[in-house]
PDB file of all heavy atoms in Angstrom:
ATOM      1  N   ALA K 405     245.362 -39.098  31.287  1.00 98.00           N
ATOM      2  CA  ALA K 405     244.270 -39.240  30.328  1.00 98.00           C
ATOM      3  C   ALA K 405     244.772 -39.813  29.008  1.00 98.00           C
ATOM      4  O   ALA K 405     244.082 -40.619  28.365  1.00 98.00           O
ATOM      5  CB  ALA K 405     243.600 -37.881  30.102  1.00 98.00           C
ATOM      6  N   GLU K 406     245.955 -39.420  28.595  1.00 98.00           N
ATOM      7  CA  GLU K 406     246.553 -39.969  27.379  1.00 98.00           C
ATOM      8  C   GLU K 406     246.721 -41.473  27.506  1.00 98.00           C
ATOM      9  O   GLU K 406     246.324 -42.247  26.620  1.00 98.00           O
ATOM     10  CB  GLU K 406     247.896 -39.306  27.126  1.00 98.00           C
ATOM     11  CG  GLU K 406     248.666 -39.864  25.948  1.00 98.00           C
ATOM     12  CD  GLU K 406     249.982 -39.138  25.757  1.00 98.00           C
ATOM     13  OE1 GLU K 406     250.816 -39.132  26.686  1.00 98.00           O
ATOM     14  OE2 GLU K 406     250.182 -38.574  24.666  1.00 98.00           O
ATOM     15  N   ARG K 407     247.312 -41.925  28.613  1.00 98.00           N
ATOM     16  CA  ARG K 407     247.503 -43.358  28.823  1.00 98.00           C
ATOM     17  C   ARG K 407     246.147 -44.069  28.876  1.00 98.00           C
ATOM     18  O   ARG K 407     245.991 -45.154  28.328  1.00 98.00           O
ATOM     19  CB  ARG K 407     248.286 -43.626  30.113  1.00 98.00           C
ATOM     20  CG  ARG K 407     248.593 -45.116  30.308  1.00 98.00           C
ATOM     21  CD  ARG K 407     249.133 -45.420  31.697  1.00 98.00           C
ATOM     22  NE  ARG K 407     250.554 -45.211  31.847  1.00 98.00           N
ATOM     23  CZ  ARG K 407     251.424 -46.206  32.071  1.00 98.00           C
ATOM     24  NH1 ARG K 407     251.012 -47.465  32.142  1.00 98.00           N
ATOM     25  NH2 ARG K 407     252.699 -45.939  32.229  1.00 98.00           N
ATOM     26  N   LEU K 408     245.178 -43.437  29.507  1.00 98.00           N
ATOM     27  CA  LEU K 408     243.847 -44.027  29.627  1.00 98.00           C
ATOM     28  C   LEU K 408     243.225 -44.260  28.255  1.00 98.00           C
ATOM     29  O   LEU K 408     242.608 -45.304  28.009  1.00 98.00           O
ATOM     30  CB  LEU K 408     242.972 -43.107  30.466  1.00 98.00           C
ATOM     31  CG  LEU K 408     241.671 -43.663  31.027  1.00 98.00           C
ATOM     32  CD1 LEU K 408     241.897 -44.885  31.892  1.00 98.00           C
ATOM     33  CD2 LEU K 408     240.956 -42.560  31.826  1.00 98.00           C
ATOM     34  N   VAL K 409     243.390 -43.306  27.346  1.00 98.00           N
ATOM     35  CA  VAL K 409     242.875 -43.482  25.986  1.00 98.00           C
ATOM     36  C   VAL K 409     243.572 -44.647  25.288  1.00 98.00           C
ATOM     37  O   VAL K 409     242.922 -45.463  24.617  1.00 98.00           O
ATOM     38  CB  VAL K 409     243.033 -42.190  25.163  1.00 98.00           C
ATOM     39  CG1 VAL K 409     242.685 -42.440  23.695  1.00 98.00           C
ATOM     40  CG2 VAL K 409     242.160 -41.072  25.731  1.00 98.00           C
ATOM     41  N   LEU K 410     244.878 -44.756  25.439  1.00 98.00           N
ATOM     42  CA  LEU K 410     245.617 -45.851  24.800  1.00 98.00           C
ATOM     43  C   LEU K 410     245.150 -47.212  25.308  1.00 98.00           C
ATOM     44  O   LEU K 410     245.073 -48.184  24.545  1.00 98.00           O
ATOM     45  CB  LEU K 410     247.115 -45.689  25.055  1.00 98.00           C
ATOM     46  CG  LEU K 410     247.774 -44.458  24.428  1.00 98.00           C
ATOM     47  CD1 LEU K 410     249.230 -44.352  24.874  1.00 98.00           C
ATOM     48  CD2 LEU K 410     247.679 -44.491  22.909  1.00 98.00           C
ATOM     49  N   VAL K 411     244.800 -47.290  26.590  1.00 98.00           N
ATOM     50  CA  VAL K 411     244.290 -48.538  27.153  1.00 98.00           C
ATOM     51  C   VAL K 411     242.867 -48.784  26.678  1.00 98.00           C
ATOM     52  O   VAL K 411     242.533 -49.860  26.171  1.00 98.00           O
ATOM     53  CB  VAL K 411     244.349 -48.503  28.695  1.00 98.00           C
ATOM     54  CG1 VAL K 411     243.674 -49.733  29.290  1.00 98.00           C
ATOM     55  CG2 VAL K 411     245.790 -48.418  29.177  1.00 98.00           C
ATOM     56  N   ALA K 412     242.007 -47.785  26.847  1.00 97.00           N
ATOM     57  CA  ALA K 412     240.576 -47.960  26.570  1.00 97.00           C
ATOM     58  C   ALA K 412     240.298 -48.242  25.109  1.00 97.00           C
ATOM     59  O   ALA K 412     239.343 -48.966  24.785  1.00 97.00           O
ATOM     60  CB  ALA K 412     239.817 -46.718  27.017  1.00 97.00           C
ATOM     61  N   ARG K 413     241.134 -47.716  24.207  1.00 96.00           N
ATOM     62  CA  ARG K 413     240.892 -47.893  22.779  1.00 96.00           C
ATOM     63  C   ARG K 413     241.734 -49.008  22.178  1.00 96.00           C
ATOM     64  O   ARG K 413     241.838 -49.116  20.964  1.00 96.00           O
ATOM     65  CB  ARG K 413     241.101 -46.570  22.046  1.00 96.00           C
ATOM     66  CG  ARG K 413     240.126 -45.498  22.526  1.00 96.00           C
ATOM     67  CD  ARG K 413     239.883 -44.409  21.530  1.00 96.00           C
ATOM     68  NE  ARG K 413     238.785 -43.565  21.962  1.00 96.00           N
ATOM     69  CZ  ARG K 413     238.037 -42.801  21.171  1.00 96.00           C
ATOM     70  NH1 ARG K 413     238.291 -42.787  19.864  1.00 96.00           N
ATOM     71  NH2 ARG K 413     237.068 -42.059  21.649  1.00 96.00           N
ATOM     72  N   GLY K 414     242.319 -49.841  23.027  1.00 95.00           N
ATOM     73  CA  GLY K 414     242.900 -51.089  22.562  1.00 95.00           C
ATOM     74  C   GLY K 414     244.314 -51.049  22.054  1.00 95.00           C
ATOM     75  O   GLY K 414     244.812 -52.061  21.563  1.00 95.00           O
ATOM     76  N   VAL K 415     244.990 -49.916  22.155  1.00 97.00           N
ATOM     77  CA  VAL K 415     246.375 -49.867  21.708  1.00 97.00           C
ATOM     78  C   VAL K 415     247.265 -50.655  22.669  1.00 97.00           C
ATOM     79  O   VAL K 415     248.138 -51.426  22.254  1.00 97.00           O
ATOM     80  CB  VAL K 415     246.867 -48.406  21.610  1.00 97.00           C
ATOM     81  CG1 VAL K 415     248.360 -48.358  21.276  1.00 97.00           C
ATOM     82  CG2 VAL K 415     246.076 -47.655  20.546  1.00 97.00           C
ATOM     83  N   ASP K 416     247.031 -50.473  23.948  1.00 96.00           N
ATOM     84  CA  ASP K 416     247.856 -51.092  24.990  1.00 96.00           C
ATOM     85  C   ASP K 416     246.950 -51.552  26.133  1.00 96.00           C
ATOM     86  O   ASP K 416     246.949 -50.971  27.217  1.00 96.00           O
ATOM     87  CB  ASP K 416     248.880 -50.062  25.486  1.00 96.00           C
ATOM     88  CG  ASP K 416     249.793 -50.597  26.584  1.00 96.00           C
ATOM     89  OD1 ASP K 416     249.981 -51.830  26.647  1.00 96.00           O
ATOM     90  OD2 ASP K 416     250.315 -49.773  27.356  1.00 96.00           O
ATOM     91  N   PRO K 417     246.166 -52.600  25.916  1.00 95.00           N
ATOM     92  CA  PRO K 417     245.136 -52.986  26.890  1.00 95.00           C
ATOM     93  C   PRO K 417     245.676 -53.285  28.285  1.00 95.00           C
ATOM     94  O   PRO K 417     244.997 -53.039  29.280  1.00 95.00           O
ATOM     95  CB  PRO K 417     244.508 -54.236  26.264  1.00 95.00           C
ATOM     96  CG  PRO K 417     244.821 -54.150  24.813  1.00 95.00           C
ATOM     97  CD  PRO K 417     246.149 -53.461  24.723  1.00 95.00           C
ATOM     98  N   ALA K 418     246.894 -53.821  28.371  1.00 95.00           N
ATOM     99  CA  ALA K 418     247.470 -54.150  29.677  1.00 95.00           C
ATOM    100  C   ALA K 418     248.236 -52.985  30.295  1.00 95.00           C
ATOM    101  O   ALA K 418     248.748 -53.102  31.403  1.00 95.00           O
ATOM    102  CB  ALA K 418     248.394 -55.358  29.551  1.00 95.00           C
ATOM    103  N   SER K 419     248.342 -51.881  29.598  1.00 97.00           N
ATOM    104  CA  SER K 419     249.029 -50.685  30.083  1.00 97.00           C
ATOM    105  C   SER K 419     250.467 -50.982  30.496  1.00 97.00           C
ATOM    106  O   SER K 419     250.891 -50.690  31.619  1.00 97.00           O
ATOM    107  CB  SER K 419     248.273 -50.060  31.269  1.00 97.00           C
ATOM    108  OG  SER K 419     248.636 -48.702  31.428  1.00 97.00           O
ATOM    109  N   VAL K 420     251.216 -51.535  29.563  1.00 97.00           N
ATOM    110  CA  VAL K 420     252.622 -51.839  29.832  1.00 97.00           C
ATOM    111  C   VAL K 420     253.589 -50.897  29.107  1.00 97.00           C
ATOM    112  O   VAL K 420     254.791 -50.916  29.372  1.00 97.00           O
ATOM    113  CB  VAL K 420     252.956 -53.310  29.475  1.00 97.00           C
ATOM    114  CG1 VAL K 420     252.287 -54.254  30.458  1.00 97.00           C
ATOM    115  CG2 VAL K 420     252.554 -53.648  28.045  1.00 97.00           C
ATOM    116  N   VAL K 421     253.087 -50.091  28.188  1.00 98.00           N
ATOM    117  CA  VAL K 421     253.891 -49.025  27.591  1.00 98.00           C
ATOM    118  C   VAL K 421     253.906 -47.853  28.572  1.00 98.00           C
ATOM    119  O   VAL K 421     252.963 -47.664  29.346  1.00 98.00           O
ATOM    120  CB  VAL K 421     253.305 -48.619  26.228  1.00 98.00           C
ATOM    121  CG1 VAL K 421     254.024 -47.411  25.642  1.00 98.00           C
ATOM    122  CG2 VAL K 421     253.368 -49.795  25.266  1.00 98.00           C
ATOM    123  N   VAL K 422     254.955 -47.059  28.560  1.00 98.00           N
ATOM    124  CA  VAL K 422     255.098 -45.960  29.519  1.00 98.00           C
ATOM    125  C   VAL K 422     255.210 -44.638  28.750  1.00 98.00           C
ATOM    126  O   VAL K 422     256.308 -44.071  28.613  1.00 98.00           O
ATOM    127  CB  VAL K 422     256.324 -46.165  30.428  1.00 98.00           C
ATOM    128  CG1 VAL K 422     256.270 -45.203  31.619  1.00 98.00           C
ATOM    129  CG2 VAL K 422     256.406 -47.606  30.937  1.00 98.00           C
ATOM    130  N   PRO K 423     254.097 -44.115  28.241  1.00 98.00           N
ATOM    131  CA  PRO K 423     254.189 -42.886  27.447  1.00 98.00           C
ATOM    132  C   PRO K 423     254.757 -41.712  28.227  1.00 98.00           C
ATOM    133  O   PRO K 423     255.444 -40.856  27.657  1.00 98.00           O
ATOM    134  CB  PRO K 423     252.736 -42.633  27.018  1.00 98.00           C
ATOM    135  CG  PRO K 423     251.900 -43.431  27.961  1.00 98.00           C
ATOM    136  CD  PRO K 423     252.719 -44.613  28.333  1.00 98.00           C
ATOM    137  N   GLU K 424     254.490 -41.665  29.540  1.00 98.00           N
ATOM    138  CA  GLU K 424     255.032 -40.578  30.346  1.00 98.00           C
ATOM    139  C   GLU K 424     256.559 -40.575  30.313  1.00 98.00           C
ATOM    140  O   GLU K 424     257.187 -39.512  30.252  1.00 98.00           O
ATOM    141  CB  GLU K 424     254.546 -40.708  31.801  1.00 98.00           C
ATOM    142  CG  GLU K 424     253.039 -40.775  31.955  1.00 98.00           C
ATOM    143  CD  GLU K 424     252.519 -42.211  31.993  1.00 98.00           C
ATOM    144  OE1 GLU K 424     253.220 -43.125  31.470  1.00 98.00           O
ATOM    145  OE2 GLU K 424     251.425 -42.427  32.541  1.00 98.00           O
ATOM    146  N   ALA K 425     257.150 -41.757  30.355  1.00 98.00           N
ATOM    147  CA  ALA K 425     258.610 -41.853  30.272  1.00 98.00           C
ATOM    148  C   ALA K 425     259.106 -41.436  28.897  1.00 98.00           C
ATOM    149  O   ALA K 425     260.213 -40.886  28.770  1.00 98.00           O
ATOM    150  CB  ALA K 425     259.071 -43.271  30.590  1.00 98.00           C
ATOM    151  N   GLY K 426     258.314 -41.695  27.876  1.00 98.00           N
ATOM    152  CA  GLY K 426     258.673 -41.228  26.544  1.00 98.00           C
ATOM    153  C   GLY K 426     258.742 -39.715  26.489  1.00 98.00           C
ATOM    154  O   GLY K 426     259.678 -39.137  25.913  1.00 98.00           O
ATOM    155  N   HIS K 427     257.762 -39.062  27.092  1.00 98.00           N
ATOM    156  CA  HIS K 427     257.775 -37.596  27.119  1.00 98.00           C
ATOM    157  C   HIS K 427     258.955 -37.071  27.935  1.00 98.00           C
ATOM    158  O   HIS K 427     259.567 -36.063  27.566  1.00 98.00           O
ATOM    159  CB  HIS K 427     256.460 -37.071  27.692  1.00 98.00           C
ATOM    160  CG  HIS K 427     255.260 -37.383  26.860  1.00 98.00           C
ATOM    161  ND1 HIS K 427     255.169 -37.043  25.527  1.00 98.00           N
ATOM    162  CD2 HIS K 427     254.096 -38.024  27.170  1.00 98.00           C
ATOM    163  CE1 HIS K 427     253.996 -37.448  25.048  1.00 98.00           C
ATOM    164  NE2 HIS K 427     253.338 -38.045  26.028  1.00 98.00           N
ATOM    165  N   LEU K 428     259.274 -37.741  29.027  1.00 98.00           N
ATOM    166  CA  LEU K 428     260.406 -37.298  29.837  1.00 98.00           C
ATOM    167  C   LEU K 428     261.719 -37.461  29.076  1.00 98.00           C
ATOM    168  O   LEU K 428     262.598 -36.596  29.132  1.00 98.00           O
ATOM    169  CB  LEU K 428     260.452 -38.087  31.147  1.00 98.00           C
ATOM    170  CG  LEU K 428     261.570 -37.708  32.126  1.00 98.00           C
ATOM    171  CD1 LEU K 428     261.512 -36.230  32.508  1.00 98.00           C
ATOM    172  CD2 LEU K 428     261.516 -38.600  33.364  1.00 98.00           C
ATOM    173  N   ALA K 429     261.854 -38.561  28.342  1.00 98.00           N
ATOM    174  CA  ALA K 429     263.071 -38.788  27.564  1.00 98.00           C
ATOM    175  C   ALA K 429     263.253 -37.729  26.483  1.00 98.00           C
ATOM    176  O   ALA K 429     264.380 -37.415  26.090  1.00 98.00           O
ATOM    177  CB  ALA K 429     263.038 -40.183  26.938  1.00 98.00           C
ATOM    178  N   LEU K 430     262.141 -37.188  26.003  1.00 98.00           N
ATOM    179  CA  LEU K 430     262.165 -36.170  24.954  1.00 98.00           C
ATOM    180  C   LEU K 430     261.697 -34.822  25.509  1.00 98.00           C
ATOM    181  O   LEU K 430     261.018 -34.063  24.836  1.00 98.00           O
ATOM    182  CB  LEU K 430     261.253 -36.616  23.799  1.00 98.00           C
ATOM    183  CG  LEU K 430     261.592 -37.957  23.149  1.00 98.00           C
ATOM    184  CD1 LEU K 430     260.507 -38.347  22.144  1.00 98.00           C
ATOM    185  CD2 LEU K 430     262.939 -37.902  22.469  1.00 98.00           C
TER     186      LEU K 430
END
Side-chain angles (χ1 to χ4, degrees):
E406 176 179 59
R407 184 191 276 246
L408 195 58
V409 172
L410 295 175
V411 174
R413 298 204 170 203
V415 174
D416 180 25
S419 201
V420 290
V421 174
V422 193
E424 305 94 337
H427 295 305
L428 182 57
L430 302 173

